[in-house]
Amino acid sequence: MGLFSKLFKGPEIDLAKSAANAKKMRDLFNSKVKDGDRYRLIFGYTEDVSRFNFMIVHGSKTQIGNLIVGWCERDNVIVILPTVPDLSSCGEAVYYYHSEIFKAYRNKYPTDAFVIYPDKNGYIAINAYDWLEDETLYVYVEQSDALTAFSAFFHNSFTKK
């Protein structure tokens, strides 16, 4: 759990539901990505819906794109698979190879996001948290350990200015 979760006791996490959704994420990812089991996964979302517009969910004033984010340390690659909050379907996988990107960094303001520029003309900002409870907008999944691992991978292997 993150520091916020420890300080402010929120709703309890339904671990069975979280595990079921993690399995659905894995199944969807493996159906679209060759050798998908080599990748670790987190759920993320983006407000950059122009690039990931598969079944966009409209919030109050924000458009959210749901993402399954996979990473493979051996191949130094991040794969993003757009999906919907109930994990009933997904779009096509987009691959980001470290050697091919223009720039990547961790943006701490105004949100904590992983930002990847595949070229000089566009970017993707991936937002991810320990767990998300609003099932109308996000996938319900507890992912604190995986998010810590992804953060370390992104910082140590992928970030470049």
Side-chain angles (χ1 to χ4, degrees):
M1 289 274 153
L3 179 60
F4 181 82
S5 300
K6 289 177 184 174
L7 293 175
F8 302 98
K9 297 272 185 189
E12 291 296 314
I13 298 171
D14 182 337
L15 293 178
K17 183 186 285 187
S18 176
N21 282 339
K23 182 179 181 330
K24 286 181 188 177
M25 285 171 48
R26 172 59 63 194
D27 291 344
L28 271 179
F29 191 83
N30 287 359
S31 73
K32 294 289 187 170
V33 176
K34 183 180 178 186
D35 297 326
D37 282 328
R38 289 194 346 225
Y39 294 79
R40 294 190 65 184
L41 301 181
I42 59 169
F43 167 79
Y45 69 93
T46 187
E47 295 179 15
D48 179 13
V49 296
S50 61
R51 290 180 57 93
F52 294 95
N53 60 1
F54 179 75
M55 303 281 292
I56 299 304
V57 175
H58 297 275
S60 56
K61 292 184 178 179
T62 305
Q63 293 180 321
I64 301 293
N66 286 268
L67 310 171
I68 299 172
V69 180
W71 76 98
C72 179
E73 292 186 35
R74 186 178 80 191
D75 298 339
N76 216 15
V77 63
I78 294 173
V79 179
I80 297 179
L81 184 68
T83 186
V84 291
D86 68 1
L87 298 169
S88 60
S89 57
C90 64
E92 295 301 317
V94 179
Y95 292 75
Y96 293 94
Y97 295 94
H98 177 265
S99 60
E100 297 174 357
I101 63 168
F102 177 68
K103 178 171 60 171
Y105 65 93
R106 184 92 180 257
N107 183 25
K108 295 288 188 179
Y109 180 84
T111 62
D112 188 5
F114 304 94
V115 183
I116 300 170
Y117 285 81
D119 52 49
K120 293 181 180 182
N121 300 319
Y123 72 95
I124 176 68
I126 305 163
N127 297 281
Y129 296 96
D130 289 354
W131 70 283
L132 297 160
E133 62 178 316
D134 184 351
E135 296 177 72
T136 61
L137 290 177
Y138 312 112
V139 173
Y140 184 100
V141 64
E142 190 283 326
Q143 57 185 7
S144 57
D145 291 342
L147 183 55
T148 298
F150 178 74
S151 297
F153 166 75
F154 192 89
H155 177 74
N156 295 327
S157 303
F158 223 72
T159 300
K160 58 184 182 181
K161 295 278 184 177

